[in-house]
Amino acid sequence: MPTRAALASDTFRVGDQAGDVASGTVAAAMDRLGVPKMFSRNAEIFGEGEPAGYVYKVISGAVRAYKVLADGRRHVVAFYLPGDIVGLAVEDLHNFSAEATTRSKVLVVKRSALVTLAASSSKFARQYWTQAIRETLRAQRRLLMLKLTAQERVVAFLLEMGERIPGKNSLELKMTRQDIADYLGLTIETVSRMLASLENTAVIEMPMSRRIVLRNRPALNRLQHAGC
Amino acid sequence: MPTRAALASDTFRVGDQAGDVASGTVAAAMDRLGVPKMFSRNAEIFGEGEPAGYVYKVISGAVRAYKVLADGRRHVVAFYLPGDIVGLAVEDLHNFSAEATTRSKVLVVKRSALVTLAASSSKFARQYWTQAIRETLRAQRRLLMLKLTAQERVVAFLLEMGERIPGKNSLELKMTRQDIADYLGLTIETVSRMLASLENTAVIEMPMSRRIVLRNRPALNRLQHAGC
DNA sequence: CGCCGTCTTGACCTAGTTCAAGGGAGGTGG
DNA sequence: CCACCTCCCTTGAACTAGGTCAAGACGGCG
């Protein structure tokens, strides 16, 4: 798992990051070319099936990518946090919808601008695609959840967020329990109960429902015995 | 030497995936460059974490991509059937292992050969990456299963196989119930029961355990009410 | 023919869902 | 500044889908 830049969630020192060269230039290009846009909570960024003319980079807040099943069940395909790029891995049309889970700032870039860049620099092209491929790896990794228990899924979620959000052990969740449940394939009640039980066993602490402190990482890693 | 390589169901067209132009040339390139190799049942094609120096194209049989969790649970990430290409969407190392689920013929191509081709033809490069991106879409689509019931998952599996295997409505499953269970995140017993119940309701027919006839597709589509 | 891996079926059990009720926390208007 | 309202979150109790355990049955192969 590539280490992500330590962005304080709103100060966005965007662009380059020490550990991760490949994402650097694509991200940097987006910083140069992108037009910043604010989205209020639950505002749609793009819809499933729409032409994928733009690529997005999250600056602050968070974005959920989701699909709605025929019978109304909602599935959250991915969360994008500050620094993440949304919409690289598509063919012509978006294959999911995207909304801000909270008031968010997003850079909007014409895909064609990136394609032009890629055409002129094979190095850039390579990095562009590498970045897109990473989406595959993440999705495939998430597929492991099919076999995990509710507790393991919630723990996996917390550890994932712990890696991606700055601030050592304290996370501010930018999404509702419903979002989390739809991401993990559980119900909000189960998510709530699992968090409560983790708090009871002193593995985490929840000063507020959206604020979670990872008190005992080794224990968390042990609970998520799905190696990944 | 019994060239049993030509197993009945193996004779159909390789290369072009139903109505798919873009994959044509990558697949065609692999046909030109590839060295055919036989793998017996359960033989390893590559292992997780190994350098990804080769790309593979399935000619006959089937390949399972899988990971094993720390506690021994196995998760099947994907099945690759004749015509499918394995190992495009990777960075330097394979992120899962691959085995033949049954005696299989596979074309082996050096990745560098494809990279060279891509460097000389931007059209080829584009198709190469498009193909890789498709892996993402498939994985993301499969993520929907997190929310599906056992019956819906089994139905989704049958419909997926129905699309990908030739022969209108009759499928020869090239994998065990355990493989299917690990693919769907269920147990073999549940898979078996769901198939039995589909047969009882005359939606499918099972002359043998590995041979399934889709008797009533509209009903199947209805059962899988997860739009996708 | 007998063995072994695979598949099915039954009976029981449990993790997680469903249904229902109530408790914050933040936002808005008076 | 308070009152109210509306989401959001939590907790309990009952229920059920699917897992687990156990016992065959089928089918391919030596």
Side-chain angles (χ1 to χ4, degrees):
Chain A
M1 303 128 225
T3 60
R4 234 143 240 287
L7 315 163
S9 43
D10 285 327
T11 51
F12 58 93
R13 193 213 68 190
V14 278
D16 49 339
Q17 10 183 298
D20 198 14
V21 187
S23 74
T25 47
V26 177
M30 294 193 68
D31 291 340
R32 268 188 292 112
L33 301 169
V35 177
K37 188 166 173 192
M38 291 302 304
F39 290 90
S40 56
R41 181 175 214 273
N42 294 329
E44 175 173 271
I45 298 175
F46 57 77
E48 182 176 355
E50 291 177 2
Y54 298 87
V55 177
Y56 307 83
K57 178 172 168 189
V58 182
I59 301 301
S60 71
V63 171
R64 67 172 164 257
Y66 71 96
K67 278 170 168 276
V68 176
L69 307 188
D71 61 349
R73 280 174 291 184
R74 192 184 66 160
H75 172 71
V76 171
V77 178
F79 289 120
Y80 297 93
L81 303 182
D84 290 342
I85 298 174
V86 189
L88 276 185
V90 292
E91 297 193 71
D92 307 325
L93 306 178
H94 284 296
N95 40 306
F96 47 70
S97 308
E99 290 177 354
T101 63
T102 184
R103 185 169 170 76
S104 302
K105 186 175 188 179
V106 172
L107 286 181
V108 182
V109 181
K110 266 217 158 72
R111 178 184 310 279
S112 57
L114 293 179
V115 169
T116 303
L117 256 182
S120 69
S121 156
S122 71
K123 190 169 180 185
F124 182 88
R126 187 170 180 71
Q127 290 171 341
Y128 178 90
W129 290 113
T130 301
Q131 193 78 357
I133 288 305
R134 234 161 250 179
E135 200 88 350
T136 314
L137 307 189
R138 261 196 280 172
Q140 287 178 344
R141 191 144 76 93
R142 245 156 78 45
L143 271 175
L144 293 179
M145 288 218 209
L146 276 172
K147 290 280 229 309
L148 300 190
T149 65
Q151 190 179 58
E152 290 167 330
R153 292 184 196 189
V154 170
V155 168
F157 171 75
L158 291 178
L159 288 173
E160 183 192 346
M161 288 299 151
E163 274 175 21
R164 295 170 66 188
I165 292 181
K168 265 301 276 163
N169 280 328
S170 174
L171 339 168
E172 165 100 29
L173 299 179
K174 290 285 189 17
M175 64 289 284
T176 67
R177 293 288 189 268
Q178 187 65 60
D179 287 329
I180 300 172
D182 290 348
Y183 182 68
L184 299 177
L186 300 170
T187 60
I188 45 175
E189 292 95 331
T190 301
V191 171
S192 190
R193 276 187 256 266
M194 293 302 134
L195 288 173
S197 112
L198 289 172
E199 189 172 30
N200 287 338
T201 54
V203 176
I204 66 171
E205 208 172 302
M206 270 194 296
M208 284 183 323
S209 65
R210 298 288 184 98
R211 156 79 50 192
I212 293 192
V213 183
L214 309 183
R215 271 264 151 264
N216 188 345
R217 275 198 193 244
L220 281 171
N221 281 311
R222 228 171 302 124
L223 286 175
Q224 181 219 27
H225 43 102
C228 84
Chain B
M1 196 198 295
T3 22
R4 208 148 66 77
L7 297 162
S9 46
D10 293 338
T11 46
F12 44 80
R13 80 265 150 86
V14 281
D16 47 350
Q17 199 80 305
D20 192 300
V21 189
S23 73
T25 47
V26 178
M30 295 194 66
D31 290 342
R32 267 187 291 113
L33 301 170
V35 177
K37 186 165 174 192
M38 291 303 304
F39 290 89
S40 56
R41 182 176 213 273
N42 295 329
E44 175 173 271
I45 298 175
F46 57 78
E48 183 174 355
E50 291 177 3
Y54 298 87
V55 177
Y56 306 83
K57 180 173 166 185
V58 182
I59 300 303
S60 71
V63 170
R64 66 171 164 257
Y66 71 96
K67 278 170 168 278
V68 176
L69 306 189
D71 60 349
R73 281 175 291 184
R74 192 184 66 159
H75 172 71
V76 171
V77 178
F79 289 121
Y80 296 94
L81 303 181
D84 290 343
I85 298 174
V86 189
L88 277 185
V90 292
E91 297 193 70
D92 306 325
L93 305 177
H94 284 297
N95 41 306
F96 47 70
S97 308
E99 291 177 353
T101 63
T102 183
R103 186 171 167 74
S104 301
K105 186 178 188 177
V106 172
L107 287 181
V108 182
V109 181
K110 265 215 159 73
R111 178 184 309 278
S112 57
L114 293 179
V115 169
T116 302
L117 256 181
S120 69
S121 156
S122 70
K123 191 169 180 184
F124 181 89
R126 186 170 181 71
Q127 290 172 342
Y128 177 91
W129 290 114
T130 300
Q131 194 77 358
I133 288 306
R134 232 160 254 180
E135 199 89 349
T136 313
L137 307 189
R138 261 198 279 173
Q140 288 178 344
R141 190 143 77 94
R142 246 159 75 46
L143 271 176
L144 293 179
M145 288 221 207
L146 275 172
K147 289 281 229 309
L148 300 190
T149 65
Q151 189 180 59
E152 290 168 330
R153 292 184 196 189
V154 170
V155 168
F157 171 76
L158 292 177
L159 288 173
E160 183 192 346
M161 289 299 151
E163 273 175 19
R164 296 170 65 188
I165 292 181
K168 265 303 275 164
N169 280 329
S170 177
L171 338 169
E172 165 101 28
L173 299 180
K174 289 285 187 22
M175 65 291 285
T176 67
R177 293 287 189 268
Q178 187 65 61
D179 287 330
I180 299 172
D182 290 347
Y183 182 67
L184 299 177
L186 301 170
T187 60
I188 46 175
E189 292 97 328
T190 301
V191 171
S192 190
R193 275 187 258 265
M194 293 302 135
L195 288 172
S197 112
L198 289 172
E199 187 170 33
N200 287 338
T201 54
V203 176
I204 65 171
E205 208 172 301
M206 271 193 295
M208 284 184 323
S209 66
R210 299 286 185 101
R211 157 78 53 193
I212 294 192
V213 183
L214 309 183
R215 271 266 150 263
N216 188 346
R217 273 197 195 247
L220 281 172
N221 282 310
R222 229 171 302 124
L223 286 175
Q224 181 217 27
H225 42 100
C228 85

